[in-house]
Amino acid sequence: MLDSRRELLDQIRLGESSFLELKEVRFRKEQVTGPRASNFADELAAFANSHGGVCVLGVSDRPREIVGIPLHLLDSVVGFVRHVCTELVEPTLDPIVDRLWLPSTTGEELAVVKVEVRRSLFVHRSPAGYLHRVADEKRAMSPDYLARLFQQRSQTRMIRFDEQVVSDATIDVLAPDLWERFRTQRTRDEGNDLLSKLRMARQDEDGVLRPTVAGVLMAARDARRWLPNAFVQAVAYRGDRVRPKGEEEVYQLDAADISGPLDRQVDEACRFVAKNMKVAAFKQLGRVDRPQFDMTAVFEAVVNAVAHRDYSIHGSKIRLRLFTDRLELYSPGEIPNTLEPENLLHIQSSRNEVLSSLLAKCPVPSELPWLTTDRRTLMDKRGEGMRIIVENSLELSGRTPDYRMIGGSEFLVTIYAPQEDSQAQK
């Protein structure tokens, strides 16, 4: 947006618009005092809630002159932008921040900071509430407008969340080696046509082909650039509980943030569990080594988590916690389609149809310890995953896994470890 120097200068000379905001920067003892942080947060959130826009810091709106920013204070300005975006806007913003040279009316090259905010997948709240951009002003949204916007940017709209366009991503962020793998022997489409057929890309309102949420999650090297919490946070603890705040790390055996395409997250999350779980020795009929968890059940639970979590909830990630007596897997979002936990064994439901379709084309990871499944791909059409989790875990530990909602915003699966007859462990 306003990428060339010429285009940016022309727009500055024309003045503020639906897509451009100009701000002079004032300092006191090297601290930014103007624009006010709350006001600046409102401007950026309004852009994100509308069609995006650019704010240039170091330019006076009247009389539209480039006044610049002292070079030794550029870091302070960038820090100010970062603070506003992370502390005063909810969900947080991740703008593109550039330092540029622009000529003043006398021809002197002066430093400015360009802050580019793309149209967001989410609805953002700033100190003044929920705002949007109308011409060259920010305005509060009416209740009807706000309700409509929330509907448009949530998974409840006609186009599911995983099919929505990621407006600040270009089609080339999808790595060819990651999306070409979904080609089959019957595929005749090439390039962008194939991406569109797979629903990994769609045209935005301006007719520009861009990745969808599903495309970014399955074919970008790291989706966190656009969906910051699209990863699995895995932690293995020494005991059977999380220790008090400030002591957690002391009691952690291992921890990892697992990112990348979703099928890779499944693979690495299962390997994390296999690496950190114990093997107990039972002496009922001779020595029998029994794993702490059934890896096929763990595999099914992780697949369900990445496939069915609510990616529209900003700031929430999948959390995998490994304790001595249980495995806990937290997945963001309510159970789709108003299902209750007790119905999951009997009724199939999918929040993310495109993701489920793509995961049904991904092969099961090879060489995972104790993983036994006759399925060739991560997802199946038979809906047997929940049954496998329950039956395999019950056979190993004698306890049925627990399913429940936590605070209305997380779905928790708990898989229990066997009670040890013999405490010998290795």
Side-chain angles (χ1 to χ4, degrees):
M1 192 176 295
L2 303 181
D3 292 325
S4 74
R5 174 179 159 116
R6 181 76 268 158
E7 184 182 11
L8 181 58
L9 286 170
D10 287 344
Q11 289 299 316
I12 289 174
R13 291 191 181 100
L14 291 172
E16 294 182 340
S17 67
S18 298
F19 299 95
L20 181 66
E21 181 72 20
L22 306 174
K23 295 289 186 185
E24 185 174 352
V25 185
R26 298 181 298 277
F27 300 91
R28 178 181 300 158
K29 295 183 179 179
E30 300 191 356
Q31 295 297 315
V32 176
T33 58
R36 289 173 49 200
S38 59
N39 181 267
F40 187 56
D42 292 337
E43 300 285 2
L44 298 185
F47 276 140
N49 289 335
S50 302
H51 295 282
V54 168
C55 181
V56 185
L57 296 167
V59 180
S60 173
D61 179 32
R62 293 182 179 86
R64 301 173 191 169
E65 290 186 358
I66 297 166
V67 294
I69 299 169
L71 287 179
H72 70 285
L73 295 176
L74 283 175
D75 286 344
S76 295
V77 174
V78 173
F80 168 76
V81 174
R82 186 185 307 114
H83 167 77
V84 165
C85 291
T86 58
E87 302 297 331
L88 300 183
V89 181
E90 183 183 356
T92 60
L93 290 174
D94 185 22
I96 300 172
V97 181
D98 286 330
R99 308 176 193 212
L100 306 174
W101 292 105
L102 293 180
S104 68
T105 53
T106 63
E108 181 185 5
E109 292 286 324
L110 299 176
V112 301
V113 172
K114 176 190 173 191
V115 182
E116 181 178 346
V117 178
R118 296 297 183 97
R119 181 187 182 192
S120 179
L121 290 167
F122 309 98
V123 183
H124 297 267
R125 180 178 181 136
S126 54
Y130 290 102
L131 308 176
H132 65 143
R133 189 83 174 181
V134 180
D136 60 350
E137 297 179 344
K138 58 184 183 297
R139 292 186 183 177
M141 300 182 203
S142 68
D144 288 346
Y145 187 98
L146 180 60
R148 212 161 45 242
L149 188 62
F150 266 115
Q151 184 179 20
Q152 290 171 352
R153 298 192 183 185
S154 74
Q155 80 280 5
T156 59
R157 64 178 294 186
M158 293 297 290
I159 298 176
R160 293 172 183 263
F161 187 80
D162 61 338
E163 294 183 65
Q164 291 191 39
V165 166
V166 181
S167 60
D168 58 344
T170 56
I171 200 68
D172 58 3
V173 307
L174 303 183
D177 61 305
L178 292 178
W179 57 262
E180 283 282 358
R181 60 199 175 122
F182 296 108
R183 182 186 296 278
T184 67
Q185 291 182 345
R186 297 181 179 180
T187 302
R188 298 292 180 266
D189 299 292
E190 298 292 336
N192 291 345
D193 290 335
L194 176 58
L195 287 171
S196 298
K197 289 284 183 66
L198 292 169
R199 289 181 287 175
M200 298 175 77
R202 286 180 57 237
Q203 289 186 351
D204 65 12
E205 295 175 350
D206 298 320
V208 178
L209 189 68
R210 296 190 184 277
T212 60
V213 170
V216 165
L217 288 170
M218 295 302 299
R221 297 295 180 195
D222 191 349
R224 289 181 296 179
R225 167 65 180 82
W226 303 275
L227 298 161
N229 293 97
F231 68 98
V232 178
Q233 182 188 72
V235 182
Y237 292 95
R238 295 181 185 277
D240 59 2
R241 61 190 175 93
V242 179
R243 298 296 173 171
K245 189 174 182 180
E247 300 181 19
E248 301 99 322
E249 292 188 6
V250 178
Y251 294 92
Q252 291 180 9
L253 290 170
D254 195 7
D257 287 346
I258 301 169
S259 60
L262 295 189
D263 55 315
R264 189 173 301 163
Q265 291 186 28
V266 172
D267 188 337
E268 294 185 14
C270 288
R271 292 182 190 278
F272 180 91
V273 174
K275 178 179 71 171
N276 285 287
M277 72 176 179
K278 296 178 173 58
V279 178
F282 292 78
K283 296 183 179 179
Q284 297 161 327
L285 297 172
R287 181 187 174 94
V288 177
D289 288 343
R290 190 178 300 177
Q292 192 176 14
F293 304 105
D294 181 272
M295 281 306 302
T296 304
V298 172
F299 164 75
E300 295 287 354
V302 175
V303 169
N304 283 343
V306 301
H308 302 307
R309 65 158 287 187
D310 190 343
Y311 288 94
S312 72
I313 300 178
H314 192 282
S316 297
K317 54 191 169 289
I318 294 173
R319 295 182 293 142
L320 191 159
R321 292 178 168 184
L322 198 61
F323 298 95
T324 53
D325 63 342
R326 69 194 185 281
L327 179 152
E328 294 180 349
L329 190 62
Y330 296 80
S331 182
E334 297 185 55
I335 304 173
N337 297 335
T338 68
L339 291 180
E340 296 296 331
E342 56 268 22
N343 297 330
L344 291 174
L345 274 174
H346 312 291
I347 302 176
Q348 285 185 262
S349 182
S350 176
R351 172 181 282 113
N352 305 304
E353 292 286 355
V354 178
L355 285 178
S356 297
S357 174
L358 293 172
L359 288 168
K361 297 178 173 67
C362 294
V364 172
S366 60
E367 300 178 1
L368 282 177
W370 301 294
L371 178 58
T372 56
T373 178
D374 59 356
R375 201 163 72 239
R376 294 184 178 182
T377 60
L378 296 190
M379 298 284 291
D380 69 356
K381 305 294 185 181
R382 298 171 293 177
E384 295 183 348
M386 297 298 291
R387 179 188 60 78
I388 292 172
I389 296 171
V390 171
E391 293 181 357
N392 288 24
S393 299
L394 183 61
E395 181 179 356
L396 178 66
S397 68
R399 297 186 64 181
T400 302
D402 182 49
Y403 300 91
R404 58 193 174 102
M405 289 301 304
I406 304 295
S409 61
E410 280 188 307
F411 181 58
L412 170 60
V413 179
T414 303
I415 299 176
Y416 296 99
Q419 297 295 316
E420 298 172 15
D421 305 334
S422 167
Q423 296 301 316
Q425 288 188 345
K426 61 181 181 180

